[in-house]
Amino acid sequence: GDPDADGLTNAAEQTAGSHPRGTLKRYLAEGVSNGFFSTRFAIANPQTSTARILLSFVDTTGRRTRHYVSVPARSRATVVTSDIAALNGASFATTMEADAVVVLDRLMTWAGYAAHMESAVEQPSTTWYLAEGATHGNFDLFYLIQNPSSAAAAIRVRYLLASGSPIVKTYSVGAGSRFTIWVDQEDRALSAADVSAEITSTNGVPIIVERSMYLNTPNKPFKGGHNSAGVTAPALNWFLAEGSTGGFFSMYVLVANPNATAASLRATFIRADGAPIVKTYSVAANSRRTIDVASQDPGLADTPVSVKVESTNGVGVIVERTMWWMGSKRSWTEGHNAFGTTRTAPRWLLAEGETGGPRAINTFVLIANASTADANVRVTMLAESGAEESVTYAIGANRRFTVPVASAFPSSDGKRFSILVESLNPSTAGALVVERATYWNTDEDVWGAGAGAVGAIIP
């Protein structure tokens, strides 16, 4: 039999060590488990029956490790890689196979003072784009490439600079392996630059691409950092749900234009209160641009804000958002980042979330209602243990809304959970975009560490 219709019989799946009913696959290129980095995975199951999961980890040597998980209905499960002996000391990529629609998130923490987070991507591609990236000052920039195929991948990276003069480098990523590019060391012109990238598998072998970026301080390596998966194509419309400016957060929108023609952009900044603020920009051909949101308008100087970016001349771009804190650039200690999403949807699922504990963890759900009608939105907590709970909110048209999980769900204190977000009037107000941000205290600072990522659209 072949119940997942992937062309492999049950016997072949048994031999290969793959999932015989793996109708859903997801991928994460980044992952490290050693004395400095810790990695854990959250798996959210919104279904009414148990989901059976196979996680396959492949390290930089090509060694594969498998781990099986059952996730009960309407709940969340956690996998901590330090509990898997074969991953001790390894850098690895992850493939998930599941027999139901579930969502996989990865949280990486290091040295007790910083973190980053990402949601798994749907499938490999031969082309990936990354808008954010910096190597100047105290930044270190890394590209992580997963090759899940049985053939080696020939990789070409076009590094896009603010100057509009790309730098091209080539690499090889072995079959069934994971590969790291330390961008700062690739070229003198890349050692102190703002940089975006177009990453292409030139021999047609599909790959997965992520980026990790770290901020060093004099006394602590990688004092802060963020991570994001790439996106597979430029687009004319992008949405960013999270965003905040003011004395604590510094917020930037990063735009990459990999085309031979300049892009004309309209950015709509959507606030919790007040009319949206609209600004226009131009991004030169084969270049990247940084928008410091707080400086764009007095109404954006100190406010929560979502952003919609549109290309008005038909030239597709790539859009991401980065937030650093605390305070001004000289005092930054931590950050998070997310790629924009090109789709709105009435149902979103966030696998990772936690509140309370000795580090006073706070998780926030950020919702942008891009609809022209008010949305009635149900937010449901799917706990790792305990019954699910729901709260319903009214979110105005073209408004940004924040759900502080700790106050919305007091029973979440000290728990890990997933969050399901659903529009109850999807026919008129189904254009939602959802992210989550999590912060916690370190030995030095309140909210000294944090991470964020875009949610996953589910049917």
Side-chain angles (χ1 to χ4, degrees), residues 10-327:
N10 283 332
E13 301 260 23
Q14 172 73 12
T15 300
S18 53
H19 198 311
R21 296 187 303 279
T23 54
L24 178 134
K25 282 190 176 183
R26 295 292 184 265
Y27 302 86
L28 287 161
E30 171 67 299
V32 185
S33 182
N34 57 28
F36 189 74
F37 285 102
S38 298
T39 300
R40 84 181 193 202
F41 297 93
I43 306 171
N45 177 15
Q47 312 300 332
T48 56
S49 59
T50 297
R52 292 168 176 84
I53 314 298
L54 168 61
L55 297 177
S56 297
F57 307 102
V58 59
D59 65 18
T60 52
T61 69
R63 181 182 61 175
R64 185 172 298 276
T65 302
R66 297 176 177 85
H67 184 79
Y68 301 90
V69 188
S70 291
V71 186
R74 307 290 288 185
S75 71
R76 166 234 166 102
T78 303
V79 175
V80 180
T81 57
S82 60
D83 295 336
I84 303 173
L87 298 179
N88 185 32
S91 297
F92 53 85
T94 305
T95 300
M96 178 184 74
E97 297 177 80
D99 62 0
V101 175
V102 298
V103 171
L104 174 69
D105 288 351
R106 180 200 63 238
L107 176 66
M108 287 179 59
T109 61
W110 58 93
Y113 52 67
H116 56 57
M117 180 191 304
E118 186 55 291
S119 299
V121 300
E122 294 185 0
Q123 60 188 8
S125 173
T126 56
T127 304
W128 293 87
Y129 298 89
L130 298 161
E132 168 66 304
T135 58
H136 52 76
N138 297 323
F139 290 116
D140 283 310
L141 178 64
F142 300 88
Y143 296 158
L144 303 317
I145 302 175
Q146 175 188 6
N147 176 9
S149 306
S150 58
I155 305 299
R156 182 186 66 219
V157 179
R158 277 209 316 148
Y159 297 95
L160 306 178
L161 307 175
S163 65
S165 300
I167 294 171
V168 179
K169 298 282 184 179
T170 59
Y171 310 87
S172 179
V173 181
S177 69
R178 126 88 193 254
F179 185 75
T180 300
I181 301 171
W182 188 356
V183 177
D184 305 58
Q185 298 187 341
E186 289 302 301
D187 190 281
R188 172 178 280 185
L190 296 173
S191 63
D194 289 320
V195 58
S196 300
E198 177 187 62
I199 300 177
T200 305
S201 174
T202 57
N203 64 339
V205 175
I207 56 175
I208 309 293
V209 173
E210 293 187 39
R211 174 205 59 250
S212 290
M213 184 171 147
Y214 300 97
L215 171 67
N216 301 293
T217 62
N219 298 321
K220 290 187 176 179
F222 292 8
K223 177 62 180 72
H226 58 65
N227 167 276
S228 178
V231 298
T232 57
L236 303 180
N237 295 281
W238 295 91
F239 301 89
L240 299 160
E242 165 67 308
S244 186
T245 61
F248 189 76
F249 289 109
S250 299
M251 176 185 173
Y252 300 90
V253 174
L254 304 315
V255 184
N257 177 10
N259 304 288
T261 304
S264 298
L265 305 182
R266 177 173 59 235
T268 303
F269 298 94
I270 302 170
R271 298 176 291 171
D273 298 298
I277 295 172
V278 180
K279 299 289 180 178
T280 58
Y281 304 92
S282 179
V283 183
N286 291 307
S287 74
R288 93 129 216 208
R289 178 165 181 169
T290 301
I291 301 170
D292 181 354
V293 175
S295 67
Q296 301 305 298
D297 189 277
L300 296 173
D302 188 3
T303 183
V305 60
S306 300
V307 186
K308 178 181 179 181
V309 179
E310 304 165 276
S311 173
T312 57
N313 68 335
V315 176
V317 295
I318 298 91
V319 175
E320 296 184 33
R321 179 212 61 254
T322 294
M323 288 167 57
W324 292 100
W325 67 94
M326 305 167 172

